Amino acid sequence: MTWLTVRSNDGADPLPRHELESFHFEGERVPLIDRQRGIRKPAILEAALSIITVYRAEGTTRPYEDGTGSDGLIRYKWRGLDPDHAENRALRVAMERRLPLIWFVGVAPGWFQPVFPVYVAGEEPQLNQFALAVDEVFGLVEPETHLEAQLRRYVERVTKQRLHQPVFRSTVLRAYTGRCAVCALAHRDLLDAAHIVPDSHERGEASVRNGLALCKLHHSAFDNRYLGVTPDLTVHIRQDILEEQDGPTLLHGLQRRHGQKLMVLPGPRSQYPSKELLEITYRRFLEPA
């Protein structure tokens, strides 16, 4: 995990499969992921080391669909239906010994966002699945227990911050080839994955079609309704901002983008921003400031 922290920029960046397969420990090659298995238990270990959620192209489904329970914890499906399958046993050992795991989430073909540490918080054999917790909530919540609203909100918020947000960021930035959709700035450290519709909205899913890669300036301008994007992918700047005189940043960063098309879009049209979601946000942009 220390190696992953360095290689992934402290968990911020995805890594290619070949790097994860080339990991060495004490002179021995120990791949961190397996091409054929979702649960990885190296021969030198007694418990599982990592799990994988494969990449899903927009509009397709994964062979196993993981989800979130009413307790706010994440569910990860067994390998098959046999509780005694070697991979399921390996995760069970990690659960019994309270050992940390690495979760590799596919964000593009051959690219994985590492999330770590995560723990197996419990097992639900009747549903063929395990309950997983990120480290901040491990031991705080028992699977299948009713939570008071405040605790559930905390668990969900922490899980979004530690799992969903890094995965969403990596997926969106890769779709936009690491450039701002509005101005084409290509410095990854200055880019964000902006939700078109916020994740608090009923339509606010963590999907590439609900995302825009934006630099810090344009992300803030988008969220604060200085800048809007129409469903036909045209940038609009609020009228009072257009009329201001406040130096080169305002002029070149915002005012001159008015009426221009987005400069960067994903390659596949299936990953283009959703027209329906842009319409929702653009209507809000048009409301009086």
Side-chain angles (χ1 to χ4, degrees), residues 15 30 65 67 69 73 113 118 125-127 135 158 169 185 198 200-201 210 216 234 236 238 242 268 274 287:
L15 294 170
V30 184
E65 201 60 42
L73 299 178
Q113 178 67 40
V118 297
Q126 72 281 11
L127 297 174
D135 53 340
V158 169
R169 171 182 163 81
L185 182 72
S200 57
H201 191 280
N210 186 37
K216 303 290 184 183
T234 302
H236 285 255
R238 208 171 68 205
L242 287 173
S274 162
E287 293 173 0

Side-chain angles (χ1 to χ4, degrees), residues 22-226:
S22 67
F23 177 73
H24 281 69
F25 179 71
E26 295 184 346
E28 183 177 348
R29 181 173 170 269
V30 184
L32 300 182
I33 60 174
D34 193 305
R35 287 181 179 265
Q36 304 300 323
R37 299 176 177 86
I39 301 168
R40 169 72 174 142
K41 189 199 81 67
I44 63 172
L45 298 181
E46 296 180 2
L49 173 65
S50 67
I51 56 176
I52 293 178
T53 296
V54 298
Y55 171 68
R56 177 182 64 183
E58 204 72 28
T60 63
T61 58
R62 297 187 179 97
Y64 295 96
E65 201 60 42
D66 307 315
T68 303
S70 60
D71 47 27
L73 299 178
I74 308 157
R75 267 46 183 190
Y76 190 86
K77 290 296 184 181
W78 281 359
R79 169 67 184 268
L81 301 177
D82 179 6
D84 203 40
H85 189 285
E87 294 177 39
N88 298 328
R89 292 201 313 269
L91 268 187
R92 202 169 292 122
V93 173
M95 175 183 70
E96 293 165 353
R97 300 185 185 181
R98 301 171 69 88
L99 296 173
L101 298 165
I102 306 159
W103 195 341
F104 292 110
V105 183
V107 296
W111 286 81
F112 298 87
Q113 178 67 40
V115 180
F116 58 93
V118 297
Y119 294 85
V120 185
E123 185 175 8
E124 296 167 330
Q126 72 281 11
L127 297 174
N128 308 325
Q129 63 190 15
F130 294 95
L132 304 180
V134 295
D135 53 340
E136 291 92 337
V137 301
F138 179 56
L140 183 64
V141 177
E142 293 296 324
E144 298 186 274
T145 56
H146 177 73
L147 303 184
E148 60 181 39
Q150 186 174 5
L151 179 56
R152 178 179 168 80
R153 284 196 299 268
Y154 172 75
V155 172
E156 290 178 338
R157 185 176 72 251
V158 169
T159 301
K160 281 182 180 179
Q161 290 171 346
R162 293 277 285 103
L163 174 63
H164 300 298
Q165 288 180 5
V167 171
F168 177 69
R169 171 182 163 81
S170 289
T171 303
V172 171
L173 293 194
R174 285 197 59 80
Y176 285 80
T177 63
R179 291 180 176 270
C180 174
V182 172
C183 69
L185 182 72
H187 291 274
R188 190 180 179 91
D189 290 345
L190 299 179
L191 298 180
D192 294 330
H195 287 83
I196 296 172
V197 171
D199 55 14
S200 57
H201 191 280
E202 61 181 8
R203 297 287 304 277
E205 67 271 11
S207 160
V208 68
R209 299 206 69 205
N210 186 37
L212 289 168
L214 297 176
C215 67
K216 303 290 184 183
L217 172 64
H218 291 129
H219 187 183
S220 184
F222 184 76
D223 285 353
N224 288 283
R225 295 194 294 151
Y226 289 22

Side-chain angles (χ1 to χ4, degrees), residues 257-274:
R257 296 307 309 148
H258 181 67
Q260 302 297 308
K261 292 287 189 178
L262 292 179
M263 294 184 70
V264 180
L265 287 167
R269 294 190 69 87
S270 62
Q271 295 185 351
Y272 274 28
S274 162

